[in-house]
Structures are given as structure tokens and as C-alpha cells.
Amino acid sequence: MSTQTGHMPDVSVIIAAYNAMPYLTKSVTSALEQSIGRERLEIIAVNDGSTDTTGAELDRLAEEHPATITVLHQENSGSAAGPRNRALDHARGRFVFFLDADDYLGPEALERMVGAADRNSTDVVLGKTIGVGGRTSPTMYKKSEEKTDVFSSRVYWTLNPMKLYRRELIEKHRLRFGHDLKVGEDQPFTALAYLRAAGISVVADYDCVFWVHRDDGGNSTKTVTELDSRVRVLQHMMPLVAAEVPEGPNRDHLLHRHLDTELPWVLRRLPQLESRTEQERIVADLRPLFDTYYTDALAARLPAMLRLQCHLVRHGMLDELLTVRRFNEVPAAERVFDVTVEDGRAYAHYPYFRDDTVKIPDAVYDYTDQLTIRQDLHRLQLDEATGTLRIDGTARFHRVDGQETSTALVLRERNGETEHRIATDPGAPLALPLLTAAGGTALPAGTWDVFVSLTTAGLTRETRLGSRSEDLDTAPADHELRDGTQLRPVRAYFTPRGNLSVKTGAPVSRLKRELKPDDVRWSPADPARLLLGGTLRGLDPAGERLLVRLTDAKGHREEYTTDVDPATGRFEQAVPLAAGEWRVHWLLDVPGATPRRATRAVEVPRDLPVTQWRRRLVQFWYAKPLPAAKTKTLTLRVGRKSLLKALLRK
């Protein structure tokens, strides 16, 4: 044993160890190597009567690090409660962290957790846990919480003690681990710390604690299989919650956790008891808890299957309970049952649903909050001609058959408030008409997340449209949709989570994108005509036209329709010229479009010379391009020449 003196450390790491080799060394070392620094740390390890080399290894580590490690030896106490309590009596840190001897810390765990506590003045900090070697860990660490409590979060779903606690909180309320529970002895300590804390922080963006699966089966939570022990946890914790929290939604939130965690453990093993008398005794031990604490509001929080089992326990219906347990032993993926939707509520056809011999109320089978949409998607196809995104696959209510269902696709602007809803015909393939999706107009530029909404018998459910199936073709669909005189770039794609989104770009003029001019010169056959040539792809010959427009200084216009080869898109147009100064533009005319017409300037060619021609015997004319303005629009000056200049070729 070593003793410590000096300043108060920031963290006291408490390790209760019983036959913890060879895991112990890594556990203690992970605490020694914390980035917070050893000068801010003390480690108090209690050897709880180990029969292996645990005690010797602790003494060795303490001898190497006497300023940091204190080792206490004692006779075996039978649980972690005794050594943890003894270590608490020796702790000097501002905070306490309980670390199991077979688990270990991430290098920055304590620094990050202490930082969260100091930053937010919180008394308890949860650090993200990671299972190692097949051991499962709590799953409520989806996001970090600077300051929360047990009622507005799911932190209460983890009641193991491996968290950071402000020692002032522990001593103020004289929190210690009890000896009256064979399993779950840490639950009352953690629950009371939660409830009496000034606030709770969650560090979810760093792997703080690694829970190790012991090959020798020595994890304490895996050695206890007695139903009585689990029943005693419920008998202890439900009254504790009731004593601390007034009746109402907050109490129900916490009781839900115990019914959701401890009770299923008991009920799964109930059929394994060979004695009918023992089965009846377990149910009899549970019934007073339901008589006292189980309310309709609490029942409404539970999933339908658990609610049904609670109802059967509450009413002592052992035979029915065993039947339901047999039904529940079928793997979830293979469990077959129907769901009926009536008057906006869904009901699961679990055993005894609407069975007149037992008369269990429909509310017990209420499946509304669990009803999901099953999607089977395969690939995307974007029809450029019609501007329709076709989604190969189906979306339907899971387990609801034979009921008429209406379907709608919903487009929601990412990071915005705008949404557009498109109803689809029953039984029709899923499709998004992108050119009319926004209330009859084209979908505006932006990123749009796609949802599917189903309604049957007054009940509506909505979810992201997508799939994580290996059969899903995740290749994006890239197209430019024709929208009258414009093109709209569109990409339909699946996000990394398999959800469908559509990204639409700003509209671009079709003339700018599809018209490829390659010839601007004077007609060899008639120098009084300007010859324009090129290609235009995608022109609909049924109604769309390509024209050349000449506009003079007074706004007078001359327009000439250009014949475009429907097979090749090739065109060549000879434009007659009259006296004046004329700006030359291409014109795309699309009936019904807004705008109906779009223009594009004919650019000034580099090598277009002056041309001249003769009309009648003594009339000479010329045409020449004027210097390019900022718009680079071809502008021609056309007029008569004097006879002398014409003869002199000037």
C-alpha cells in the first residue's frame, strides 16, 4: 500500500479488483496514461480478496507509481459494492470515476469529461462506451449533450457506475453502494446521483470507456442468472423512483427504463423454470409492483409486445403469458403477425387479440407508434423527355395488408422550410415529375430530401424514401431537364445512409448549352445575305423553332425561321440584309414556355470582311461588321455606296 499527500487531484479513479488478471494491467495503465496528467490524478485500487495475482500486480504498479496509485487490500466482500465504498472513503479528487478492472479508458477520456463538467457546472458526465470482444454497450450516445437531465434524455437507460461524478455531490448526499442487491447493486447509486445532480453532460464524440468481454466469463453481470435477483432489482428500483419523483410523465419515463430492461430479462427465463409453482411465485412477486406503479400513461409508453406481457403479469394470467413467451421466442425477422388499422390507430395481432375468452382490451395491442413503412427500392431512372424521376421499387405499411392506402412523395428543401407534396395514384410506380413538382412549376434550384407518406384508415406515416438493401443500385442519375427554353441540371442520388435526395441547379438557357454555331460568313451564292450555320440538338420539330432575329436602332425586327435537320441537328440559314444597322441574335421559340422565347447573341467573327454587291445598273451596296461592343453581339451596317467609291473599290 502507498499513501499520498499534497494537493487535491482533479480525478480519483476507483478500481475494484477481484481476480482481474490479465485485464487489470491494461485497465490501470489506461488510467495512468490519461492526457489530463498524473499531477491531476489519483488511482485508488482495492483488491477484494483475489485468489490470483491481482494483489501482487497492484502492488507492483503502486511501487512504480507511488505518487499516483494507492492500493488497499481486504477480504472478499462478495460484490463490487464493498471495495468501491472503501475507496470512496479515501478519495480526495474533485471528481470520482469508477473503472472496472477488466475495462480501460481512451487516452483523453478524463480530460474531456472533466472539461465538460467544468464548462457546464454539471455533476455527472457520461463518456461514450465501446464494447470490445463482443460485449454490448449502451446505445444512447448519438450526440453530445452539454447539459441535460434524466427526464429530457435517455441517460437513465445506462445505470452502470462508470461515469464521472462530482465528489461534492457524492458526499453531500452520502451516496454509497448498497449490499442488499446481488446484481444491479450499482443502479441505486447511479440513479440517485442522476436525480440529485445539478446537471448531466454527455461526451459522445470521443470513445471514452472500452467495455471488455472476458474470455473466462468473469464479468460480474454475466455470472448471475437467478430470476430472483432480477426481480429484486425491480422491487428495489421502482419504489426508489416513486419516492424520488412525483407521479406523472417524469416518473413514467424512468419506470419505462426498468420495465424495458429488467422485466424482459425475467420473462425470457420464466418458461425455463421446470416448476409451475416457481413460475407462479415469480409472477406473484411481480404483481404488487404493477398494482402500485403501473398506470395507463406508463403502459402507453411501452411497445405493444411488452405492454401485453405487463398486462398478463398484472392480472396473474400465467398460461397466457407463457403462450406469448413462446410466440416471442420466434426470431423477430421470422415472427409473423398482421396489423389492423382502424380510426387512425394500428393494432398488432399478437396472441389473444380480440379473443372473447380472455377479453384483453384493444389498447393493450396498440401498435400505432411502432407501425413502420417497409421499402423495397432498386434503382433510379430519369426520363429527360418528360422530366420524371422514376423510382423502381415499392413503399408500403409493414404487416398491413388488404387495406386501401394512399401514397404521396414529399420534397423538403434541405436547411429550409419549403416543401412540396406530390400525390400518386394507388398502385402506380413511385415517380417525381420534377418539372411540375413545385405546385405545377419546375422544382427550384436547391437540395431536396425525398420522403414518402402513406395514409390508411385515418393513420398517416412518413419517412425518408430510401433503402440500405445490398440490391439497391446507388448510382446517381444525372440529367439536364428541358423546361421550355431552359435546361435544369438535376442529380438524383442516394446519401451514404441510403436516403434519396434530389439536387437541382440553376436553370441554364438551352440556346447557350445546345446551340453550337460553327459558320458565320457571307453567302457565296448571294453576297447580300449573311450565312449562319451550326447544330442544335434536342429541338422538338413538332412545335419548337430556331429563328434568326435582326433588330435595328429603332427596335424594328426581322425574323427568319431556320430549318433544322431533325436527324443531325444541322442547319444553315441565309439571312437577307436591308439598309440600316442590325444586331443579330439567335431566337428559340417554344410555345407555352415561360419565357416563350429565349435569345442568344451571334458573336462577331474574327475574319468577317466587308462585302458589297450591285443592285440595278448603278446601285452599289455594302455590309460590314462594326467593332465588337462589350456584348460581343454581331452588328452589321448595311447601306449604299457612291458610284465613285464603288468603282474605286473603296
Side-chain angles (χ1 to χ4, degrees), residues 30-312:
S30 75
L32 279 169
E33 296 177 349
Q34 285 294 294
S35 62
I36 198 172
R38 293 178 189 174
E39 69 280 359
R40 299 174 60 189
L41 180 72
E42 71 171 358
I43 300 171
I44 305 174
V46 181
N47 172 30
D48 193 33
S50 299
T51 58
D52 64 358
T53 59
T54 291
E57 176 66 1
L58 287 175
D59 287 339
R60 182 188 71 81
L61 291 166
E63 186 176 348
E64 291 182 1
H65 307 280
T68 306
I69 300 177
T70 297
V71 177
L72 306 173
H73 296 275
Q74 65 180 36
E75 295 295 322
N76 182 256
S77 64
S79 74
R84 286 173 180 161
N85 288 340
R86 187 177 178 193
L88 278 175
D89 292 339
H90 288 75
R92 300 178 300 120
R94 291 195 299 129
F95 298 95
V96 171
F97 188 90
F98 297 100
L99 179 64
D100 281 357
D102 36 30
D103 302 327
Y104 59 93
L105 296 168
E108 301 175 17
L110 296 181
E111 183 178 12
R112 288 174 179 258
M113 286 191 282
V114 169
D118 286 341
R119 187 168 60 249
N120 301 292
S121 299
T122 46
D123 290 336
V124 182
V125 182
L126 286 69
K128 184 178 181 180
T129 60
I130 301 295
V132 178
R135 191 175 181 189
T136 58
S137 64
T139 58
M140 67 286 303
Y141 299 105
K142 292 184 178 180
K143 65 176 182 177
S144 294
E145 298 273 3
E146 287 294 298
K147 191 168 187 177
T148 187
D149 56 53
V150 291
F151 306 119
S152 54
S153 70
R154 284 182 63 85
V155 299
Y156 191 77
W157 261 248
T158 170
L159 289 176
N160 76 79
M162 284 193 287
K163 297 162 180 64
L164 188 78
Y165 303 87
R166 195 176 295 274
R167 193 164 65 88
E168 182 181 358
L169 170 75
I170 294 174
E171 297 308 324
K172 177 181 178 181
H173 297 284
R174 297 301 301 164
L175 299 180
R176 291 297 186 269
F177 294 88
H179 297 273
D180 48 350
L181 292 177
K182 191 173 182 179
V183 64
E185 79 284 349
D186 42 15
Q187 289 196 19
F189 178 95
T190 307
L192 290 173
Y194 279 159
L195 289 167
R196 297 174 184 180
I200 302 169
S201 296
V202 179
V203 176
D205 56 357
Y206 183 77
D207 297 342
C208 293
V209 186
F210 292 84
W211 286 15
V212 178
H213 170 70
R214 287 180 58 162
D215 295 333
D216 61 1
N219 298 96
S220 61
T221 55
K222 298 179 72 68
T223 59
V224 180
T225 56
E226 300 88 348
L227 274 71
D228 284 339
S229 297
R230 295 285 179 167
V231 170
R232 280 196 290 274
V233 172
L234 284 165
Q235 291 172 328
H236 189 102
M237 292 304 299
M238 293 181 76
L240 182 150
V241 169
E244 293 287 326
V245 184
E247 184 175 355
N250 286 344
R251 178 194 287 185
D252 291 343
H253 179 69
L254 304 188
L255 292 178
H256 178 188
R257 183 264 180 218
H258 293 289
L259 294 180
D260 191 43
T261 305
E262 273 79 45
L263 183 63
W265 196 100
V266 173
L267 298 182
R268 277 195 299 270
R269 290 156 179 81
L270 186 65
Q272 299 171 12
L273 295 176
E274 296 181 358
S275 167
R276 170 83 178 193
T277 301
E278 285 299 305
Q279 293 175 341
E280 291 174 343
R281 183 182 62 79
I282 292 294
V283 173
D285 287 346
L286 290 170
R287 288 187 68 183
L289 297 175
F290 287 89
D291 290 339
T292 306
Y293 307 112
Y294 193 70
T295 63
D296 290 343
L298 175 56
R301 289 175 172 264
L302 306 180
M305 175 51 70
L306 180 57
R307 188 188 310 119
L308 172 59
Q309 294 173 86
C310 288
H311 178 88
L312 298 175

Side-chain angles (χ1 to χ4, degrees), residues 289-352:
L289 297 175
F290 287 89
D291 290 339
T292 306
Y293 307 112
Y294 193 70
T295 63
D296 290 343
L298 175 56
R301 289 175 172 264
L302 306 180
M305 175 51 70
L306 180 57
R307 188 188 310 119
L308 172 59
Q309 294 173 86
C310 288
H311 178 88
L312 298 175
V313 170
R314 182 181 188 182
H315 294 277
M317 302 167 70
L318 178 58
D319 290 332
E320 291 80 2
L321 182 60
L322 294 174
T323 298
V324 170
R325 284 310 314 165
R326 286 193 292 272
F327 173 83
N328 224 28
E329 287 303 314
V330 177
E334 303 172 15
R335 200 177 302 149
V336 178
F337 61 92
D338 293 331
V339 172
T340 294
V341 181
E342 296 174 350
D343 300 324
R345 308 300 299 178
Y347 302 96
H349 291 209
Y350 291 148
Y352 305 107

